[in-house]
Amino acid sequence: MENIYSELKISEIKNLIHGLLGELNKLDNAGTITLREDLYWNILEGELYNSYEEPKGLTMGSLKEDWEFLQKVVKGEREIIDYDLCKLASVLRFLGNKCILLQNKVL
């Protein structure tokens, strides 16, 4: 039987993130990116990885709220938690989808 699981090496994830941060640094002339979009569709975690059924529990997420939530860590107002990866992933997904527009820093 074929192994359906994938193994992710932490060192490779770190290398990819480091490389992507290098690309982001190339855009850091102004130091900011303005988001002109906010709300996005979110699939509930229990349905997200069930490819055999269409998701029914769609919710709305907010890039602005995600970023404000993460800023509390940056400002030292709370400790980092595992779920912060999900919030950051939403922001990164948006930036990844809009990377061509990053040159103008207005998304």
Side-chain angles (χ1 to χ4, degrees):
M1 180 172 204
E2 182 182 340
N3 182 0
I4 61 168
Y5 300 107
S6 298
E7 291 188 5
L8 308 176
K9 293 183 180 178
I10 301 298
S11 62
E12 291 176 350
I13 294 170
K14 288 179 180 180
N15 287 339
L16 285 168
I17 291 171
H18 182 72
L20 290 169
L21 288 175
E23 291 300 309
L24 190 58
N25 282 336
K26 292 178 184 177
L27 303 173
D28 198 22
N29 295 334
T32 63
I33 295 172
T34 303
L35 301 179
R36 298 213 184 230
E37 295 181 50
D38 181 30
L39 300 177
Y40 60 88
W41 287 107
N42 188 40
I43 300 174
L44 298 176
E45 201 270 322
E47 299 180 45
L48 184 60
Y49 301 104
N50 181 359
S51 61
Y52 299 103
E53 294 182 31
E54 190 169 330
K56 297 176 183 82
L58 295 175
T59 61
M60 295 297 294
S62 166
L63 293 170
K64 181 180 178 188
E65 288 177 9
D66 291 346
W67 190 247
E68 288 171 353
F69 187 75
L70 292 168
Q71 286 298 295
K72 291 181 180 180
V73 172
V74 173
K75 295 176 183 175
E77 296 173 4
R78 69 172 181 82
E79 295 292 318
I80 198 164
I81 57 174
D82 294 347
Y83 194 66
D84 291 337
L85 281 172
C86 295
K87 298 286 189 182
L88 183 58
S90 297
V91 174
L92 292 175
R93 173 180 284 139
F94 178 80
L95 292 177
N97 288 331
K98 303 290 184 173
C99 66
I100 293 171
L101 301 177
L102 275 175
Q103 296 298 327
N104 297 327
K105 296 183 186 60
V106 176
L107 306 177

